[in-house]
Amino acid sequence: MNDETSRRGTCASELSLLHAGVRLRLTRNRFGWKLIGQITSLVTACVFAATMQATTRATRIDFDGDGKTDMAVFRSSTAYWYVLQSHNPQGAQLQQQYGALTDIPVPGDYDGDGKTDFAVFRPSNATWYLSPSSGRGAQIQQQFGGIGDIPVPGDYDGDGKMDVAVFRPTNATWFIVLSSTGQQIQTQWGSPTDIPVPGDYDGDGKTDVAVFRPSTATWYVVQSSNPSGPILQQQYGEAGVDIPVPGDYDGDRKTDFAVFRPTSAVWYVLLSGSGSQISPQWGGPGDIPVPGDYDGDGKTDVAVFRPSTAMWYAVQSSNPGGPPLIQQYGGLGDLPLSTRVPAVAITGQVSAGGTPLDSATVSLSGTSSRSTTTDTNGNYSFLVSSEGTYTLTASLYDFSFSPGSATFTNINANQSANFSAAQVIDNGIEYHGGPVILGTTNIYYIWYGNWTGETAISILENFAGHIGGSPYFNVAATYFNGQGNRVSNSVAFVGAAFDFYSRGWSLTDSASNSDVVGIVENAISNGSLPLDANAVYFVLTAADVKESQPQGAFCRDYSGWHGDTVFRGQDIKIAFVGDPWLQCPLLQPQPYSSPNNNTGADSMAMTIGHELSEAVTDPNENGWYHADASRPGQPQEMADKCEGTYGQTYKTANGSLANVNLNGYNYLLQQLWVNVNGGYCALSF
């Protein structure tokens, strides 16, 4: 067939995939509306390196036997296999549950019928489970290898069948069972930190034992055609950066040295047929390289899988100047099978006082991002690539965890991370696993509208400049994140900008257009304010400015709101506070007097204190709030729980009421919820 024919050719010219974008959406919040920004961009990663397909039929991902690589994924959350068969991509997909959640998929043609078989390697007991596609017999079960071994199947004897094989990182030893004779062989080759990259580098139809050394980007190959002869050694790639992606890119039946550079998405291929190099740019940061023969011409095609969208992009070597092969197939968290990546399992247990804790959430972030919940025995598991960096965190309402997180980088064996939980006293407000703002919280004001001659500027800038370090804001320091790190009683008023009605006198915030977010982004873009991920940007509108959303409006439904959005790759916190003097005087705490002789400004100070406290303790709407069963759909953040309460007040010189003094200015502020001793409303802590 054409996939076995020796061919020569060149790869596609450099192409680029542009796929980053930003979208915003507005969602209902307990205090009004929350603007959420989401980047539809790439999963960051140093991705899925290692044993790519050799050039023999036995090692190809070809479930339908048509000589073309099939797009296929393994869903570790359910142990389901999903295969888009290339001979009929519009037909019914091949779907099969095979293996267990922590099993490592090791597909290949183990029975020699020209079709890839479902197969898994179970790390917990080093057992192989094979399902022959020919139907000649029941499932095959074979214990081979040890715990911590990396499966490296290949056709090491050249009989057209995949052989069971493992690489033992502890001593860099290869153990192989030859399918033609049943003989077990072993050889020490490489070092413990090497990446196994078996392939047919000498073109004799047999898989060669080979490793890639990341520290030097050097390849070391034992050629099966002359195992006692000189080794094949080649420095190719950039040390510590490149991912090996060997394959037969020129169709000469020999595996070529090739690497994928994740920082630039450039492929570097040293063609064995001519000795020349090609370097196409294909893919983007975070893409997983999935080289394979997708067009069946006997040459490996440059291809990537995008985890964020489950999209496949391949340059067909049979028509490199033509349109690329683009297909959405799979889901978030799926492992594309054509990587032939050495996968490892990260497992562990979550317990409280020695008792397993079920229903706790364990989140994985880094090269791959997803989450799971612990079972009745407190256990969890993730199947990941051996290449990459992964951080695990545990969370559950009313519990804190130790350690706060566990991180693994470039792991060559199965790993374990256990978490101990301690129940937090029920203080009437619950932690939902999200971040809080740590360190100094910076405040930026954007004075929107006409503020000429307004005393509000000095009143509110004094408030922002002195709320940090006060007993009042120290209430926020009773809140903490999942690692036990507490909010700091440190706030800095860093700067302000003026915007003279750039978006008119009536602001609108909707899913398709957000004027408030646009005002903040414009102030950052024109250099009026810096981009600061540890800040809250307050848009303060003059008394003649209206603000509305599809389901509500300023003054009628709320006095302010806070939210977050992503701008230039940074998650920034935004708040809206309007001057209510002209539009809704009855919503103000003191409609006919104020401690600073500016009713609108004094009312805004109260709202700023409210939104600032909630922004630091619940910046992404998944931090601290109370879900009140009696108020479905209206959870309460720390300031909401004390709305309308002011505690001990005193009279100022003009006869107004106040309860907090900051740098000589008197303010009437609502109380905040203290997160200790069962929880209570207070003006200080």
Side-chain angles (χ1 to χ4, degrees):
M1 295 179 65
N2 62 352
D3 61 299
E4 296 296 313
T5 304
S6 176
R7 300 175 184 266
R8 296 179 185 269
T10 60
C11 196
S13 59
E14 295 192 2
L15 297 171
S16 177
L17 298 176
L18 302 178
H19 47 274
V22 177
R23 67 173 182 266
L24 300 171
R25 68 182 188 275
L26 202 62
T27 60
R28 183 68 180 171
N29 205 339
R30 37 242 177 228
F31 41 78
W33 292 85
K34 179 181 178 73
L35 189 66
I36 301 172
Q38 180 178 354
I39 290 190
T40 60
S41 64
L42 323 162
V43 176
T44 57
C46 186
V47 279
F48 299 96
T51 55
M52 301 297 177
Q53 68 180 23
T55 56
T56 61
R57 180 185 296 278
T59 58
R60 183 179 293 117
I61 305 300
D62 182 11
F63 288 87
D64 54 8
D66 67 347
K68 299 179 182 180
T69 297
D70 299 320
M71 296 178 185
V73 297
F74 176 76
R75 188 159 297 167
S76 59
S77 59
T78 59
Y80 262 87
W81 301 60
Y82 298 91
V83 181
L84 187 64
Q85 300 178 88
S86 56
H87 82 282
N88 185 19
Q90 305 304 320
Q93 65 179 355
L94 183 60
Q95 178 177 333
Q96 177 71 46
Q97 198 282 331
Y98 193 74
L101 302 188
T102 58
D103 287 351
I104 297 172
V106 285
D109 184 8
Y110 291 88
D111 57 4
D113 67 347
K115 298 180 181 180
T116 296
D117 306 319
F118 296 110
V120 296
F121 174 77
R122 189 156 296 166
S124 59
N125 58 13
T127 299
W128 297 67
Y129 299 88
L130 316 174
S131 179
S133 58
S134 62
R136 295 193 294 265
Q139 171 182 276
I140 299 172
Q141 178 177 331
Q142 181 175 359
Q143 198 286 326
F144 188 72
I147 296 176
D149 287 354
I150 296 174
V152 286
D155 186 9
Y156 293 89
D157 54 7
D159 66 348
K161 298 180 182 179
M162 184 81 92
D163 303 320
V164 169
V166 297
F167 173 75
R168 187 159 296 165
T170 54
N171 56 15
T173 300
W174 298 64
F175 299 89
I176 303 169
V177 179
L178 300 177
S179 57
S180 57
T181 63
Q183 177 187 3
Q184 296 186 15
I185 60 175
Q186 71 179 65
T187 182
Q188 197 285 326
W189 189 249
S191 67
T193 58
D194 289 349
I195 298 172
V197 286
D200 187 7
Y201 294 87
D202 54 8
D204 66 348
K206 299 179 181 179
T207 299
D208 303 320
V209 170
V211 296
F212 174 79
R213 189 157 295 166
S215 59
T216 61
T218 302
W219 303 65
Y220 300 92
V221 181
V222 178
Q223 301 181 80
S224 56
S225 59
N226 187 16
S228 60
I231 65 169
L232 181 59
Q233 178 177 335
Q234 178 72 48
Q235 196 286 325
Y236 194 71
E238 183 175 340
V241 176
D242 291 348
I243 296 171
V245 287
D248 183 9
Y249 293 86
D250 55 6
D252 67 348
R253 301 185 185 181
K254 295 181 181 180
T255 298
D256 303 318
F257 298 118
V259 295
F260 174 77
R261 189 158 297 168
T263 54
S264 59
V266 174
W267 299 63
Y268 297 90
V269 182
L270 187 61
L271 301 174
S272 56
S274 63
S276 61
Q277 174 181 280
I278 58 173
S279 54
Q281 195 281 336
W282 188 247
D287 286 352
I288 300 170
V290 287
D293 186 5
Y294 294 90
D295 54 7
D297 68 346
K299 300 176 184 178
T300 297
D301 303 320
V302 170
V304 296
F305 174 80
R306 188 155 298 159
S308 59
T309 58
M311 293 292 294
W312 300 67
Y313 300 89
V315 177
Q316 301 182 79
S317 55
S318 59
N319 186 20
L325 179 62
I326 301 176
Q327 178 71 49
Q328 196 284 327
Y329 194 72
L332 298 180
D334 288 353
L335 287 175
L337 296 177
S338 47
T339 59
R340 298 299 304 280
V341 23
V344 295
I346 303 178
T347 61
Q349 185 184 60
V350 180
S351 60
T355 301
L357 189 63
D358 65 350
S359 300
T361 298
V362 180
S363 299
L364 179 78
S365 61
T367 298
S368 179
S369 299
R370 54 190 184 275
S371 62
T372 187
T373 55
T374 55
D375 61 19
T376 54
N377 295 315
N379 296 321
Y380 73 90
S381 65
F382 292 103
L383 185 66
V384 300
S385 163
S386 61
E387 287 295 304
T389 297
Y390 307 94
T391 297
L392 289 90
T393 56
S395 62
L396 184 64
Y397 295 178
D398 300 328
F399 283 87
S400 61
F401 292 85
S402 179
S405 63
T407 299
F408 302 96
T409 300
N410 295 335
I411 46 182
N412 288 327
N414 299 323
Q415 302 293 324
S416 178
N418 298 323
F419 296 91
S420 297
Q423 189 164 15
V424 178
I425 296 175
D426 183 7
N427 293 318
I429 191 166
E430 298 82 35
Y431 178 57
H432 296 259
V436 299
I437 297 180
L438 301 175
T440 298
T441 300
N442 297 324
I443 290 180
Y444 298 96
Y445 282 165
I446 300 176
W447 299 97
Y448 186 86
N450 184 5
W451 293 90
T452 304
E454 264 286 352
T455 60
I457 294 178
S458 59
I459 295 169
L460 298 183
E461 289 191 351
N462 176 81
F463 182 82
H466 295 89
I467 189 173
S470 69
Y472 178 77
F473 194 72
N474 198 50
V475 174
T478 64
Y479 293 81
F480 48 88
N481 65 9
Q483 290 72 50
N485 300 315
R486 293 189 175 274
V487 171
S488 172
N489 184 10
S490 178
V491 178
F493 176 61
V494 181
F498 288 86
D499 186 323
F500 193 76
Y501 302 106
S502 67
R503 293 181 177 244
W505 278 262
S506 183
L507 305 180
T508 301
D509 292 298
S510 66
S512 59
N513 173 64
S514 172
D515 285 330
V516 170
V517 171
I519 290 167
V520 174
E521 292 180 347
N522 184 61
I524 297 172
S525 297
N526 65 26
S528 299
L529 297 177
L531 180 62
D532 189 342
N534 225 57
V536 181
Y537 295 85
F538 282 88
V539 175
L540 308 179
T541 56
D544 58 349
V545 177
K546 300 179 183 296
E547 188 267 351
S548 64
Q549 299 158 357
Q551 288 83 11
F554 166 57
C555 276
R556 187 188 69 198
D557 301 297
Y558 50 84
S559 57
W561 52 261
H562 77 88
D564 71 301
T565 186
V566 174
F567 182 60
R568 293 180 179 173
Q570 295 272 18
D571 181 65
I572 58 174
K573 290 73 181 175
I574 292 174
F576 163 81
V577 177
D579 185 335
W581 173 240
L582 293 178
Q583 301 180 55
C584 48
L586 295 181
L587 285 184
Q588 302 168 59
Q590 292 179 281
Y592 304 111
S593 64
S594 71
N596 295 295
N597 297 308
N598 188 324
T599 305
D602 282 325
S603 296
M604 293 176 75
M606 178 181 293
T607 304
I608 291 171
H610 178 121
E611 301 303 337
L612 175 64
S613 301
E614 294 181 341
V616 298
T617 57
D618 190 23
N620 299 120
E621 208 177 25
N622 57 1
W624 287 91
Y625 61 85
H626 173 58
D628 190 343
S630 66
R631 299 171 42 153
Q634 300 180 50
Q636 296 174 304
E637 293 176 302
M638 65 172 294
D640 298 324
K641 287 180 68 66
C642 300
E643 193 157 4
T645 69
Y646 305 100
Q648 184 66 44
T649 61
Y650 58 87
K651 280 195 173 184
T652 63
N654 68 1
S656 297
L657 294 178
N659 54 13
V660 171
N661 184 284
L662 299 176
N663 191 40
Y665 285 74
N666 294 303
Y667 300 94
L668 181 66
L669 306 178
Q670 69 162 76
Q671 297 183 105
L672 301 174
W673 189 260
V674 179
N675 187 31
V676 298
N677 301 328
Y680 56 92
C681 291
L683 287 170
S684 65
F685 180 76

